[in-house]
Structures are given as C-alpha cells and as structure tokens.
C-alpha cells in the first residue's frame, strides 16, 4: 500500500506538471495566490512562478493546490482560472499581473535615515474581510481591486527624521507616531527634498502589501497602527482600479497588521474616541509608483 500511494502521488504530480500551466495555491492563512505551476510534490512542496519569479512553498503551509482539472490529495475538481472577476468571499485572493522590468528594491537617505523601498508588483485582489468581527471593522463587502505596481518603505519613518522635517526637537531613534496632518506633511517634505513623488500609501496599497509573502518582513510582529492617505468610507461592491477613497471627510484610514483581526483591522478609523484625525496618532510609511522609479 505504501508503494502504491507513493506511485499514485508521483503520477498526480507528473500530471499537474505536464498538463496545466496555471495553479491556484491557498495557504493556511487563507491567502490565495494564482501563478504558473512549475513543480508539485503533494508530500513536500509546490513551486510556482508569479510575475516571472519562482517561489517554493512547503505543503505544511498549504491548504489546497488547485489547477485545471486536478487538486492535491487525489481529489479531482474543476477549476476555472484567469476570471475577470474573482470569486467573492475569498479573503486574500490575489493575482499578480505586472511583469515589467522594475528593480526589486532600492534605497534613499533623508535627514540621516536610510529608507529601503520594496517593490510590490501590481495585480488584482479581493479587498475586504467578511468574517468574525467584520461589521465592527466596516470591512464589508469584499470587492475586487486592480492595482498598479508601487514601492513601499520596509520600515516606518522614524522620529528623528519626522521631527527634524517638522522643525521640532529630534528625540529618540524610534518610529514616529503623530496625527495625520503631520504625517502627510513629513511625506510632502521628503518628496520635495529628494524630488520624487513620494506619498502615503492608499488603503488598497496597504492591504495588498499585507497579503504578499514578504508581509511579515515589512510589517513585523509589533502591533502598529498606520496611516493611509484615504478618507475613511465604507466599502462598495464595485470593481475598482487604484482607489484613493472619497474626496472629502473628517478622518483618514488607519490600518494595523496585527491588531484585532490581524491584517484586515481598520477599526481605529471610526471607533468612539478616535473620531477625527486630531485625536488619533499612528505610524506611517512612504510609497511611490513604480513607474516613477523605472
């Protein structure tokens, strides 16, 4: 029986490799990745390409591997790929589509702080969360967002840099937490000094980055609340491209990677006691369109 199972899994792996180029990998944290299948060993790993880059994921981190007509664990299914609209309700479902030749990372220095920027390749994803606690976070409905490639700073702006640019005492070498107006002003001053269109992340960019395989390296293990550029608003079900939020409002979006419901938490934007930008302090990062760097 042991040898039969080994032979069976070998046949399934070979069929997956030979018959299909598209694969949908659902990780145990419910993030879903669509890419090009390279190799599949149901007892060990799955290897796929996304935007030309090869990634290997151990099966211990995988919930399911689906491709045209086949799925791991010997269950035969029928799966459609490359849909124009993603399946509604699949939290974290994303597909990277931009394969342009951008550098993976670069750095620049502002007022003594070296800021390393990480490429986030554009694509489409299901934004939002409809699970436990979603009504309190106002994270429904889940909706498709198409997003262009951009760079995100791997760390938040530190206090010395922020206060120096704001004309204040520099204080300690730690991340700066302030009201939205000051965070946005610091980013504007950074953009003016280096002559590049740096800005705060949009909420869609923030959430998209939080789904990437490198998210833990970017957002870390601390419970940071971070500013986005958007005014806060409830989601709509329509498909959107590079959304920037409403034109006006009295409070901006705050997102946090490890507070509340992990990466989908946005409650600080509207809960009692956090009713306006002047009552909320948060950390912040810088972002820039990839086309502005290429």
């Amino acid at each position: 029986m042991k040898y039969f199972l080994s032979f069976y899994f070998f046949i399934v792996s070979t069929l997956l490799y030979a018959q299909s180029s598209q694969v949908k990998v659902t990780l145990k944290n419910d993030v879903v990745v669509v890419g090009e299948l390279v190799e599949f060993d149901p007892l060990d790993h799955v290897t796929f390409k996304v935007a030309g880059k090869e990634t290997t994921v151990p099966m211990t981190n995988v919930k399911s591997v689906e491709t045209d007509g086949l799925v791991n664990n010997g269950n035969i299914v029928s799966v459609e790929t490359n849909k124009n609209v993603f399946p509604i309700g699949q939290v974290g479902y994303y597909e990277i589509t931009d394969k342009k030749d951008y550098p993976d990372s670069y750095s620049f220095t502002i007022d003594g702080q070296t800021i390393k920027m990480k490429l986030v390749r554009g694509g489409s994803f299901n934004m939002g969360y409809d699970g436990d606690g979603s009504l309190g976070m106002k994270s429904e409905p889940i909706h498709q967002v198409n997003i262009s490639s951009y760079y995100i700073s791997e760390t938040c702006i530190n206090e010395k840099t922020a206060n120096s640019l704001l004309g204040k005492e520099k204080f300690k070498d730690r991340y700066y937490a302030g009201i939205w107006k000051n965070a946005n002003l610091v980013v504007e001053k950074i953009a003016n000094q280096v002559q590049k269109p740096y800005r705060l992340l949009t909420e869609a960019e923030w959430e998209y980055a939080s789904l990437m395989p490198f998210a833990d390296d970017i957002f870390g293990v601390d419970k940071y609340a971070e500013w986005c550029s958007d005014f806060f608003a409830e989601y709509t079900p329509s498909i959107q491209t590079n959304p920037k939020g409403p034109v006006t409002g009295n409070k901006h979006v705050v997102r946090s990677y490890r507070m509340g419901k992990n990466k989908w938490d946005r409650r600080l934007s509207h809960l009692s006691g956090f009713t306006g930008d002047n009552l909320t302090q948060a950390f912040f990062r810088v972002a820039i369109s990839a086309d502005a760097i290429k």
Side-chain angles (χ1 to χ4, degrees):
M1 184 66 177
K2 174 182 177 182
Y3 295 107
F4 171 78
L5 288 176
S6 297
F7 177 74
Y8 176 75
F9 280 126
F10 172 76
I11 293 299
V12 171
S13 301
T14 303
L15 286 172
L16 279 172
Y17 180 83
Q19 292 185 5
S20 178
S21 61
Q22 289 291 315
V23 64
K24 183 172 78 171
V25 179
T26 302
L27 304 180
K28 289 185 177 178
N29 62 3
D30 289 326
V31 168
V32 181
V33 185
V34 174
E36 178 185 347
L37 180 64
V38 176
E39 184 179 63
F40 176 40
D41 180 347
L43 298 178
D44 188 67
H45 68 275
V46 57
T47 301
F48 52 88
K49 287 183 179 179
V50 177
K53 292 191 176 296
E54 194 169 295
T55 299
T56 297
V57 180
M59 292 303 292
T60 53
N61 295 336
V62 173
K63 181 183 292 185
S64 68
V65 178
E66 303 174 23
T67 186
D68 300 329
L70 290 170
V71 67
N72 67 309
N73 297 325
N75 299 315
I76 306 301
V77 298
S78 176
V79 179
E80 296 179 32
T81 56
N82 292 327
K83 292 183 176 180
N84 291 327
V85 180
F86 289 153
I88 296 300
Q90 285 194 326
V91 176
Y93 189 107
Y94 74 90
E95 180 177 2
I96 295 176
T97 56
D98 188 350
K99 299 182 181 180
K100 294 180 183 177
D101 185 20
Y102 300 117
D104 288 336
S105 63
Y106 71 93
S107 299
F108 71 95
T109 302
I110 183 74
D111 203 48
Q113 180 181 1
T114 298
I115 300 175
K116 187 174 182 180
M117 305 295 293
K118 175 73 174 178
L119 174 65
V120 183
R121 288 192 174 274
S124 298
F125 75 110
N126 274 347
M127 184 172 179
Y129 169 75
D130 64 359
D132 181 35
S134 58
L135 290 178
M137 286 186 282
K138 298 187 182 297
S139 59
E140 300 181 36
I142 294 176
H143 54 289
Q144 183 179 326
V145 172
N146 306 315
I147 204 156
S148 301
S149 296
Y150 61 97
Y151 288 89
I152 178 177
S153 61
E154 292 191 2
T155 60
C156 296
I157 301 301
N158 68 31
E159 191 172 280
K160 285 185 176 181
T161 300
N163 282 326
S164 176
L165 293 172
L166 292 171
K168 299 180 180 180
E169 186 179 345
K170 291 188 177 182
F171 296 103
K172 297 181 180 179
D173 188 12
R174 58 190 179 189
Y175 292 156
Y176 173 84
I179 61 175
W180 187 90
K181 179 181 178 181
N182 286 345
N184 191 57
L185 181 57
V186 168
V187 176
E188 288 180 351
K189 288 181 177 292
I190 289 174
N192 288 336
Q193 282 201 20
V194 300
Q195 295 296 296
K196 293 284 186 183
Y198 289 101
R199 53 180 173 76
L200 292 172
L201 288 156
T202 66
E203 184 181 15
E205 288 173 333
W206 193 99
E207 184 166 319
Y208 187 62
S210 78
L211 300 175
M212 295 293 113
F214 54 73
D216 285 348
D217 296 332
I218 296 289
F219 296 101
V221 297
D222 295 315
K223 297 180 178 180
Y224 294 145
E226 300 183 11
W227 284 119
C228 297
S229 61
D230 314 43
F231 280 112
F232 180 83
E234 296 193 24
Y235 294 153
T236 62
S238 60
I239 297 176
Q240 302 171 43
T241 298
N242 295 325
K244 297 181 179 180
V247 176
T248 60
N250 68 343
K251 48 194 173 184
H252 286 81
V253 174
V254 176
R255 295 297 301 265
S256 51
Y257 188 69
R258 292 188 181 276
M259 297 176 69
K261 296 299 176 182
N262 205 329
K263 64 192 70 176
W264 287 281
D265 193 275
R266 67 196 299 255
R267 288 175 296 179
L268 286 180
S269 303
H270 63 88
L271 284 182
S272 176
F274 296 93
T275 56
D277 288 347
N278 291 331
L279 296 178
T280 306
Q281 292 194 343
F283 301 97
F284 65 98
R285 302 171 188 274
V286 296
I288 191 170
S289 168
D291 288 332
I293 298 300
K294 185 177 179 181

